Amino acid sequence: MAANEYYNSSSRPHNNYEPSIASTNPPSYTSHLHQNPQDPRAGASTGSPFESVFDDHVYPTDSHTRPNADSLNSSQQTFAYDTRYHGAEPGDVSPVGTDDIPLRQHNKTPGYAADSTDHVYDVPEPEAGTRGPPKRGLLGFGELGMLGGEKKKTPFMVYLFSLIQIGVFIGELVKAAQLTGSPIQTQPSFNPMIGPSQQVLINMGSRFVPCMKNVDGVQNYPAPGYGWPCPNTTSNDPNNDSNKCTLSELCGFSGVPNPEWDSVNGLQQSPEPNQWFRFIIPIFMHAGIIHIGFNLLMQLTMGKEIERSIGSLRFFLVYMSAGIFGFVMGGNYAAPGISSTGASGSLFGIIAITLLDLLYSWSERRSPGRELAFILVEIIVSFALGLLPGLDNFSHIGGFIVGLCLGICVLHSPNVLRRRIGEDHFGGPSYSSVGGGITSVAFPAFYRNPVGFFKGRKPLWWVWWLVRAGCLVLVIAVFIVLLNNFYSNQNNCSWCKYLSCLPVNNWCDIGNLTITSTSTTSKRSIELFPLEQVANLYG
């Protein structure tokens, strides 16, 4: 009775997960008894002796007789078959015919409603001979294999850095025009980078060591000392008034303490120049149109894809850390008379990230060897160009080292390692945000449960994270040592200079501070290495 009341009641609650049968009446117990007039059993009862009027039979009592296709197509009685208690007959196609959830659309017999949308759980047929979920296709040339590589989020940091660099370069041209009468240096020689003079760049914040600390050959030079080229100079004549400025006037900003010209205790002069921000500002400065053009090209292509993959915060950390570390390393080992600008160190850090991505996803690539060769050629050529006179190859080397170490810290684990340890030991499907999203199936987020984050981890997971921690500690330790050596003048590496120059034609002496004087006067002036003599493509 309860079952009959359920089917006939108008107040029956609607179930979104059952096919609707509101438009049809429940099948009669006798409406489908198709009797053959010639059958001698016609008129006889064919019901089971165990059946009663109280049984809820949605199937015809003659279980061997099936409705024809036309009757099924004209109504939705197919969906009224409830086999949850009585089981499905052979060939039954009811989507709720059993307690099993259909995983895919089976071949339907005639009478299956054409407009049925009950395929919520349908999945594509797996390929023959394969097990498990379908694998992602192999990565093509230049595609990123890291988690989040398919993301299409806006690379805010790349666009922000690019806009700042363009704005700063426009400011350089404006200031050069104000000081020298031309936005591009043409006197005393032409700057092949199509940009301002070196003095203008120093005055605007390029990395120039004499503006940052006491330098051997400056503070300890005997009195009466010498003059410095002014930001508006267009002459190499030491007697020209434009080459008789003080160090404070050349460095600009709020100025620096001028040298006291003490040949004995000059290097202990206090206060000393300390424009520390020259490790940061040069990242956003460039020597000319060609210089900024090459850097922006790499930044807006490779850099954009990297930021989309690792997220803006991680990109910011790698970009700025690589740039600052590169300028600190160059400040230790490059010639003190070289004015260094450009985002090369930062971009070398990004190149290191692409190299790590290739190694991490090696087995998922179509031609990893060809991609590795391409990246290595790019790195070797860039480092070789850094050996040209006047270029600061240490910025390139420093940025690349930091990119490798920080990349190990911020990128996802290698794919082979992830499969070996288990995906549940690692983060969710994206590294686009540090604290958001699902972090793991089996382990809670660190900021939610620090103890639970580490509890139950496999030994290989601990080994890999110790490697990551070691890389981070190594970068921090080396940075502190280099910074300390820079300010204490403890550079005892005599061969390091050959990483940034070739020992031919006195190239390794270019960039050293040179004092020039005339026979007619006792005036002396500092001769800085002219930036315009070298095509400084990488800053």
Side-chain angles (χ1 to χ4, degrees), residues 289-501:
I289 295 176
I290 297 178
H291 188 193
I292 192 174
F294 273 95
N295 282 352
L296 286 180
L297 177 62
M298 179 176 293
Q299 189 164 283
L300 292 173
T301 53
M302 182 187 300
K304 180 177 66 174
E305 298 302 321
I306 292 295
E307 183 183 350
R308 283 175 170 173
S309 300
I310 67 177
S312 297
L313 178 57
R314 287 177 171 85
F315 181 85
F316 175 83
L317 292 175
V318 174
Y319 189 93
M320 294 301 298
S321 299
I324 294 172
F325 189 95
F327 281 118
V328 171
M329 189 173 184
N332 276 269
Y333 303 112
I338 293 180
S339 169
S340 183
T341 61
S344 328
S346 299
L347 294 177
F348 267 85
I350 301 304
I351 293 176
I353 295 288
T354 62
L355 177 60
L356 284 176
D357 176 73
L358 169 63
L359 298 178
Y360 281 12
S361 57
W362 184 271
S363 59
E364 284 78 25
R365 295 187 175 274
R366 292 192 182 96
S367 53
R370 184 164 64 97
E371 293 191 58
L372 178 61
F374 179 82
I375 294 178
L376 291 179
V377 168
E378 181 181 20
I379 294 172
I380 292 173
V381 170
S382 299
F383 283 147
L385 290 175
L387 298 175
L388 293 175
L391 298 188
D392 183 8
N393 209 23
F394 294 106
S395 294
H396 305 167
I397 297 173
F400 188 78
I401 292 174
V402 169
L404 285 177
C405 293
L406 287 187
I408 293 175
C409 297
V410 304
L411 290 184
H412 71 85
S413 302
N415 294 347
V416 174
L417 188 64
R418 295 174 66 88
R419 289 193 294 267
R420 183 172 179 180
I421 297 178
E423 290 291 336
D424 60 340
H425 271 61
F426 297 94
S430 175
Y431 275 77
S432 299
S433 59
V434 174
I438 300 174
T439 58
S440 176
V441 176
F443 302 94
F446 177 79
Y447 66 91
R448 291 182 178 176
N449 188 353
V451 177
F453 177 80
F454 294 102
K455 188 176 180 180
R457 298 287 188 176
K458 295 181 180 179
L460 191 56
W461 182 90
W462 283 101
V463 171
W464 176 243
W465 276 85
L466 286 176
V467 171
R468 284 179 158 180
C471 289
L472 181 60
V473 171
L474 177 63
V475 167
I476 296 175
V478 173
F479 178 78
I480 293 175
V481 170
L482 289 177
L483 206 58
N484 179 71
N485 289 346
F486 176 79
Y487 285 108
S488 60
N489 294 300
Q490 295 180 2
N491 179 14
N492 299 319
C493 182
S494 60
W495 59 268
C496 289
K497 62 180 181 180
Y498 297 112
L499 295 175
S500 187
C501 65

Side-chain angles (χ1 to χ4, degrees), residues 23-248:
S23 61
T24 62
N25 295 321
S28 172
Y29 294 148
T30 60
S31 60
H32 295 292
L33 294 178
H34 304 284
Q35 297 180 356
N36 189 344
Q38 305 299 328
D39 194 332
R41 298 177 300 172
S45 175
T46 60
S48 170
F50 300 99
E51 294 175 348
S52 70
V53 296
F54 300 103
D55 292 331
D56 184 17
H57 293 162
V58 291
Y59 274 106
T61 54
D62 184 3
S63 60
H64 298 286
T65 305
R66 303 288 298 177
N68 58 44
D70 294 336
S71 65
L72 291 175
N73 286 329
S74 62
S75 69
Q76 296 182 350
Q77 290 180 359
T78 301
F79 293 99
Y81 294 151
D82 188 355
T83 61
R84 286 176 235 181
Y85 296 97
H86 301 280
E89 288 201 355
D92 188 9
V93 296
S94 171
V96 292
T98 66
D99 289 337
D100 296 329
I101 298 174
L103 293 180
R104 59 180 178 270
Q105 183 173 347
H106 301 280
N107 294 329
K108 303 299 184 295
T109 59
Y112 193 89
D115 59 347
S116 172
T117 58
D118 191 17
H119 300 290
V120 179
Y121 297 98
D122 291 357
V123 295
E125 288 279 356
E127 297 180 4
T130 61
R131 294 182 179 180
K135 296 183 178 179
R136 185 176 65 169
L138 294 177
L139 299 171
F141 186 84
E143 292 182 351
L144 295 177
M146 66 182 69
L147 294 182
E150 74 284 354
K151 296 292 182 180
K152 296 302 179 184
K153 293 186 177 181
T154 304
F156 292 105
M157 285 294 104
V158 166
Y159 292 152
L160 178 61
F161 287 151
S162 299
L163 289 175
I164 293 175
Q165 289 163 353
I166 292 173
V168 171
F169 183 69
I170 293 175
E172 294 174 18
L173 298 179
V174 171
K175 187 162 187 176
Q178 293 174 345
L179 294 175
T180 66
S182 173
I184 299 171
Q185 181 185 8
T186 57
Q187 296 294 330
S189 59
F190 178 72
N191 181 357
M193 289 295 97
I194 314 178
S197 66
Q198 182 186 20
Q199 290 74 29
V200 172
L201 296 176
I202 294 173
N203 191 253
M204 292 193 65
S206 67
R207 194 208 66 205
F208 187 60
V209 175
C211 297
M212 306 174 71
K213 67 169 186 174
N214 292 331
V215 177
D216 186 18
V218 179
Q219 275 74 15
N220 60 352
Y221 191 83
Y226 46 78
W228 295 80
C230 301
N232 63 346
T233 185
T234 57
S235 172
N236 287 331
D237 184 4
N239 293 318
N240 192 297
D241 290 339
S242 64
N243 289 318
K244 298 177 182 179
C245 283
T246 64
L247 179 61
S248 182

